[in-house]
Amino acid sequence: MSSGRTIEIVPIRQHRDASAALGVVPAPPLSLYVHLPWCMRKCPYCDFNSFEQGGEGVPEERYLDALTADLERALPEVWGRSVRSVFIGGGTPSLFAPESIDRLLAMIRARLQVLPGAEVTMEANPGTFEAQRFKAFAQAGVTRLSVGVQSFSDRALAALGRVHDGAQARRALEVAATHFSGFNVDLMYALPGQGLADCAKDLAEALAFEPPHLSFYHLTIEPGTAFATRPPAVADEDLAADMQAMIEERLGAAGLLRYEVSAYARRGRRCEHNLNYWQFGDYLGIGAGAHGKISFADRIVREQRFRNPQRYMDSALAGDAVEARRVLTCDDLVFEFMLNALRLVEGVPMAMFARHTGIDPGEMGPELRLARAKGLLDEDRETLRATELGRRFLNDLQQIFLRANES
Ligand SMILES: C[S@@+](CC[C@H](N)C(=O)[O-])C[C@H]1O[C@@H](n2cnc3c(N)ncnc32)[C@H](O)[C@@H]1O
Ligand code: SF4
């Protein structure tokens, strides 16, 4: 998934940027995110940029043409750089025919140097998939399938407004495990009416498939969603904390170690693409509403494409689908770096801060001292890492690094 949820994007305009304060920024690793925005039905908890497909279906051909035009326009921004991971997210990318995914990946490889062995992830919903399609996605070049299971309980799935049931979720994972050595299971906890035993059952069912990677998200009620208008009864904070503790313990015992707030992996099976976001790498984002972050010698730029699929396609085909572009200020860089890095259980080397932002870590002295004094940040000066307390109160820790921009 794209990691820009809390980042404010402003329309293209002049901004007091960081170029005066930055040294030469060496380019960090580059990833590519491709957004396919349609779904069978909009889930009541979802605030991703996703749209019901409607009676006329998904305009796959035109959307692929738009993605091609979008990527071609963006090529000069990443000239000469190679791509180390590709993530096809949504929406529900598995709504697209395997032939379209094949065309998409061939189009990307013809224009960008995708490193040999690069991770190529695609999100899939159990409701739209069948064995034949998954195999074909693998044959098209997808190396890692991320299956949106959410729960195996028919009751919980109905309460979440999902289009699939538990049996379809199990079948989906069987097929994913057959065709993909790398697959991920997306689950959520603190669901409407869910107790600790229900959560434990979901956990055990998922583990039966021996997934190399698992993401377990706390269901959040996002503004603007149907759940925000009619909130369901969900677990209180104490019960949710008990669920989280149980999840971490049982997954850890099964060899799936927590390495980020919601992500667990076996050794060597972490998601390279998401790690690049959390380590403040670069990413080009194409598709409706996609975010991008690209480093240049003297500045770091954020971009966002038009969110509405129709508007996106029209603008991309007319030559430019970027709705907002912004040069990040020093203050943005400090906050955004910490917003990401502090999510990682092992944190990141302090040297990475300088390398990926171009800013001297000494700039953050007061904030670092405050975070350590509050017990939220590890005392190790070589590593930026939240303490256990810091992870529990991650928002508070991240807010310490939020500065008022003088633009
Ligand atoms: C891009 S989304 C959707 C992928 C796919 N379309 C699906 O629904 O299975 C990736 C994951 O984010 C999680 N997610 C979405 N909305 C959420 C919410 N409000 N709270 C917690 N997790 C959420 C779900 O686990 C979902 O599988
Ligand atoms: S299927 Fe996934 S992306 Fe689509 S509405 Fe549901 S949660 Fe959102």
Side-chain angles (χ1 to χ4, degrees), residues 38-39 41-43 45-46 48 50 90-92 125 150 162:
W38 289 279
C39 295
R41 200 161 74 199
K42 183 80 182 176
C43 302
Y45 56 87
C46 176
F48 285 89
S50 59
T92 304
N125 279 32
Q150 320 311 345
R162 298 290 291 181

Side-chain angles (χ1 to χ4, degrees), residues 44-45 159-160 190-193 219-235:
Y45 56 87
L160 289 172
L191 305 179
L219 173 68
T220 47
I221 308 297
E222 302 290 349
T225 60
F227 271 6
T229 315
R230 286 181 309 282
V234 291

